[in-house]
Amino acid sequence: MAVIRRLAGVRIHLSGANKEAHPDIDDFVRKFAAKVFSEGGSIVHGSHPSITEALRKAAQEFIQAGGSKDVLTLVRARSFSTDQYTTEIEEQRAFACVEIVPADDSDGLIADGLTPMRDWMADRSDAVVCVGGSWWDINKAKAGVPNELDTMLEIGKPGFVVAGFGGAIAGYLKEDPSLLSRLRNGLSHEANATIANSTSVDQVVGLIVDQLKNLPLTRRNISRGRNFRILALDGGGLRGTFTAAVLAKWDDMLKAGGGNDLISHFDLVAGTSTGAILAIGLALGLKPREILEFYEEKGSQIFPKDRKLRHWLKSKHESATLRGLLTEVYGDKTLAADSRTRLVIPTVRAKHGQAEAIVTPHSPDRTAYRDISAVEAALASSAAPTYFDEVTFHGPISPETFLDGGVWANNPILPALAEAVRYLKIPLDRIDVLSIGTLSSENDFTDQLGKGKAGWAPHSVDLFFAAQEHGAMVLAESFLGPTRHVRVNQQVPVEIKLDDTKAIQEMAQRGNEAGKEHFAEVRSRFFDGQHVDAWERF
C-alpha cells in the first residue's frame, strides 16, 4: 500500500530570521522543515544566514535518508548573488535548489532588490509560516518577516504566526492583535492565538503541520520544489541561428559549473518552424553546438541565393534539400521512440487551414502522431508558404498535409501552456517558461498607413509576425505573471529576412552576446542540475 503524504507537492514559504540566535527558533526551523519534508512538501526561504544553517541540517538529514535536495529552495536577490557570493552559493547548491531573482529597478525605487524576491516567493508558495525577524522597533519598512507575511496575505494565501520566540513577528502581532483574524488558514482566532503564543517547539510544529494537511493545497501531479519547466523556441527561418547560438553559449558556459545536458532540465519543449528543428534536434540528443554548426554550414544549401523568379512560379526553395539535410542529422528516429522529452510542434492542416500541434504520445489523449518521424515532424512545422512545399505525413490511416506552424504560433508558448494544463494536468501556477526568440526588428508600420495594397504588400507579413509574437508574449505573461516567464531575444535596427544567408555570422554573434547577458538568470532558474524524470509514453 502506497504511503499517503498529505503535503505532496505543497510549498511552504518559511519566512524568518534569527539574528539574536534564539535556540528555540533554530529548533523550530529544523523540526518544522523535517516534518514538512517527511509529508512530501518543500520549503522556500529567502536565504537569511541566521536561518539557513538550521535548514541545511534538516535538508541534509533528508538527503542522507534517500531524499532529494529539491525539498529546499533558497532564494537570493541579484544583489546577493554577485561574484563575492559564488562560493557560498555553490555550497548551498549541495543541499538545496538556489534561485536568483533579478531585481526590477527600472524606476530606481528598489535599493536592495528584496521586493521582487518577496513577490517571487509569494507567487511560488502555497502558505507562509513566520518566525523571528528583526528591525521592527527600529525601521518597520525593513522588517522582512512582517512584510513577507503581508505579501502572502494580500494575494489570499494562508499564513501562520509563530510569535512565542520573539522577533519582528512578535512585535507586529503585539501592535496589531487583529492579525490573527486575517491569516486565512482555516483556524479560529483562539487556535491561532495558541500557535502564536506557545513557547513549545513541538506543540507549534505539530499544530501548524496538522492544519497545513487539512488545507486544500496538495499538488500530486508535480514534483516537490521545482516547477514544471517549458522551453519554447520561436520560428524564423535562418534566424534560428541566433537561438542555436544562445543555447550553445549556455551549454559552453555550464561546462565549468556542471549542470550540462540542457534538454534534461525541461519537462516539455515546444518549437515552431526553425524552432521545431531546434527542439527536435535537442530532444534527439544533439548538442546545441552541433545544431548551430548545422545552420552555419548548411544554411546556404537550404536557402540558396537568386531564387526570385522561382519564387513567383513555385516554392522559393527546394523542400527536398531540407529533407535530405535533416535526414543526415536525425536519421530514421521517431518522436515517440527517441525523444528524450515531451514535444509540442505547432503546424497547420493544409486542407482547411486548421491549427494543429504534433506532439509526442505523452498522454492517453495525445497519440495521433505516435508514428511520425523526426524529419516529417520538423518539415511539417517548417513548410512556410511560398518558401517551401507543403509536407504530407502518410499516417497509418490516411495521409495528412501540413503547412508552417508559424502561421498561427510562431512563438509557441501558448500551445505549450495549453498542452501542459489540459493534457498533463499541471496547475498554471506551477509552470516556468524559458522562451527564446529569433531576433525582432525596430519596424515602424505607420509609414504604410493609408497607402493601400501597394504600400502594405511588402510589409504585411512583417506586421503579421510582429503582432502575433507580441500578442503571444503578452498573453503568456498575463497567465504566468512576471516571475514565471523569462524571454530571451534581441532587437535589430533592420529586419533580417528568414533566408538571409549573409547574416548568419551576425546572428551567431548576437546569440553569443544574448547568452552571456542572460546566463546568470537562466542558470539559476532552469539549468540548476535538477534533471527531470523520464516522460511516460502511451
Side-chain angles (χ1 to χ4, degrees):
M1 182 177 178
V3 176
I4 297 176
R5 296 179 302 173
R6 298 276 297 281
L7 296 182
V10 175
R11 295 181 193 154
I12 309 302
H13 175 194
L14 180 60
S15 174
N18 188 19
K19 296 188 73 172
E20 302 300 322
H22 197 304
D24 285 338
I25 292 181
D26 276 347
D27 194 29
F28 168 79
V29 169
R30 186 171 179 178
K31 288 181 176 178
F32 176 72
K35 188 66 174 174
V36 169
F37 299 161
S38 71
E39 291 287 348
S42 62
I43 297 289
V44 176
H45 177 66
S47 300
H48 199 283
S50 64
I51 295 290
T52 301
E53 178 60 20
L55 289 173
R56 180 190 64 79
K57 292 177 181 178
Q60 287 182 332
E61 288 170 359
F62 182 77
I63 293 168
Q64 289 167 4
S68 170
K69 69 177 183 179
D70 66 358
V71 294
L72 175 60
T73 298
L74 297 177
V75 186
R76 304 178 70 99
R78 176 65 64 85
S79 55
F80 291 97
S81 305
T82 53
D83 290 345
Q84 70 186 92
Y85 298 100
T86 298
T87 301
E88 179 181 306
I89 291 172
E90 291 307 313
E91 290 173 351
Q92 291 177 346
R93 284 194 168 118
F95 62 88
C97 298
V98 179
E99 295 272 6
I100 298 170
V101 180
D104 179 7
D105 197 18
S106 56
D107 296 324
L109 300 176
I110 300 169
D112 56 11
L114 296 181
T115 299
M117 189 178 84
R118 289 166 186 155
D119 291 341
W120 189 97
M121 291 189 290
D123 187 48
R124 300 294 183 102
S125 304
D126 298 300
V128 62
V129 174
C130 298
V131 62
S134 55
W135 300 106
W136 183 256
D137 295 327
I138 301 171
N139 182 359
K140 290 181 174 59
K142 198 174 180 180
V145 175
N147 287 330
E148 289 175 6
L149 174 61
D150 286 343
T151 300
M152 289 285 283
L153 297 181
E154 285 171 4
I155 58 177
K157 295 186 178 181
F160 295 85
V161 169
V162 181
F165 310 129
I169 196 64
Y172 187 17
L173 178 59
K174 182 178 180 180
E175 190 168 304
D176 183 9
S178 69
L179 172 63
L180 298 181
S181 300
R182 298 188 280 111
L183 295 179
R184 301 173 180 267
N185 60 20
L187 294 176
S188 66
H189 185 282
E190 291 73 21
N192 274 313
T194 298
I195 293 173
N197 297 319
S198 175
T199 56
S200 167
V201 169
D202 291 334
Q203 180 189 32
V204 175
V205 169
L207 290 173
I208 294 176
V209 173
D210 284 347
Q211 185 58 17
L212 285 170
K213 291 191 289 186
N214 289 331
L215 294 174
L217 303 175
T218 305
R219 312 296 186 96
R220 298 192 184 281
N221 57 334
I222 58 172
S223 60
R224 290 175 183 264
R226 190 183 62 79
N227 272 8
F228 186 92
R229 292 173 178 170
I230 294 173
L231 175 63
L233 306 175
D234 284 16
L238 267 183
R239 294 200 301 266
T241 305
F242 170 83
T243 313
V246 170
L247 293 168
K249 186 60 181 178
W250 288 339
D251 191 52
D252 181 67
M253 293 179 75
L254 282 168
K255 287 178 183 175
N260 277 59
D261 195 8
L262 302 190
I263 197 69
S264 65
H265 291 81
F266 295 95
D267 299 273
L268 183 150
V269 180
T272 302
S273 194
T274 196
I277 293 173
L278 279 156
I280 293 170
L282 292 170
L284 296 181
L286 293 175
K287 299 294 184 184
R289 179 68 223 181
E290 294 176 302
I291 301 175
L292 176 59
E293 290 171 354
F294 175 81
Y295 282 93
E296 291 175 327
E297 297 172 4
K298 308 298 184 183
S300 60
Q301 295 181 46
I302 299 170
F303 298 103
K305 300 176 183 179
D306 302 324
R307 309 305 293 268
K308 293 182 179 179
L309 178 60
R310 175 190 170 97
H311 204 175
W312 286 102
L313 302 175
K314 56 193 303 186
S315 296
K316 187 176 181 181
H317 302 291
E318 291 283 0
S319 300
T321 301
L322 179 56
R323 178 182 289 274
L325 292 172
L326 288 176
T327 301
E328 289 180 14
V329 293
Y330 293 168
D332 59 358
K333 293 179 179 179
T334 66
L335 300 193
D338 300 295
S339 178
R340 299 171 56 202
T341 187
R342 303 174 186 89
L343 289 170
V344 173
I345 308 297
T347 184
V348 173
R349 291 179 180 274
K351 186 172 183 179
H352 297 295
Q354 296 172 327
E356 177 67 290
I358 294 172
V359 299
T360 45
H362 46 243
S363 162
D365 300 322
R366 304 296 271 164
T367 59
Y369 298 103
R370 185 190 284 124
D371 300 321
I372 197 167
S373 71
V375 171
E376 288 172 318
L379 291 172
S381 187
S382 306
T386 78
Y387 281 89
F388 292 107
D389 293 339
E390 68 280 357
V391 173
T392 300
F393 164 53
H394 295 278
I397 307 302
S398 65
E400 298 180 73
T401 304
F402 299 105
L403 299 171
D404 195 306
V407 172
W408 72 281
N410 204 58
N411 179 341
I413 190 169
L414 293 180
L417 287 174
E419 193 73 24
V421 173
R422 171 67 179 85
Y423 295 103
L424 298 173
K425 311 301 181 186
I426 306 299
L428 191 57
D429 66 352
R430 285 292 187 267
I431 297 174
D432 272 336
V433 178
L434 174 58
S435 172
I436 308 178
T438 53
L439 300 172
S440 60
S441 59
E442 300 173 1
N443 281 323
D444 182 354
F445 296 102
T446 57
D447 289 342
Q448 278 66 56
L449 298 178
K451 292 185 178 179
K453 186 180 294 187
W456 276 108
H459 305 281
S460 57
V461 173
D462 298 337
L463 174 64
F464 170 79
F465 279 112
Q468 185 206 101
E469 291 172 15
H470 183 258
M473 186 175 66
V474 170
L475 288 173
E477 289 188 344
S478 297
F479 290 134
L480 296 169
T483 70
R484 289 182 284 115
H485 177 217
V486 176
R487 175 73 170 172
V488 177
N489 205 4
Q490 267 194 10
Q491 193 171 66
V492 294
V494 178
E495 183 192 16
I496 298 174
K497 299 298 183 183
L498 62 81
D499 59 352
D500 187 355
T501 56
K502 293 181 179 179
I504 288 177
Q505 287 308 309
E506 177 190 347
M507 292 186 288
Q509 291 168 2
R510 287 183 174 276
N512 182 69
E513 294 167 3
K516 288 190 292 185
E517 179 184 352
H518 292 275
F519 178 69
E521 181 179 13
V522 298
R523 186 197 175 193
S524 166
R525 295 176 63 174
F526 296 96
F527 303 131
D528 55 3
Q530 295 294 298
H531 295 176
V532 304
D533 297 330
W535 64 280
E536 183 179 4
R537 292 163 168 81
F538 292 90

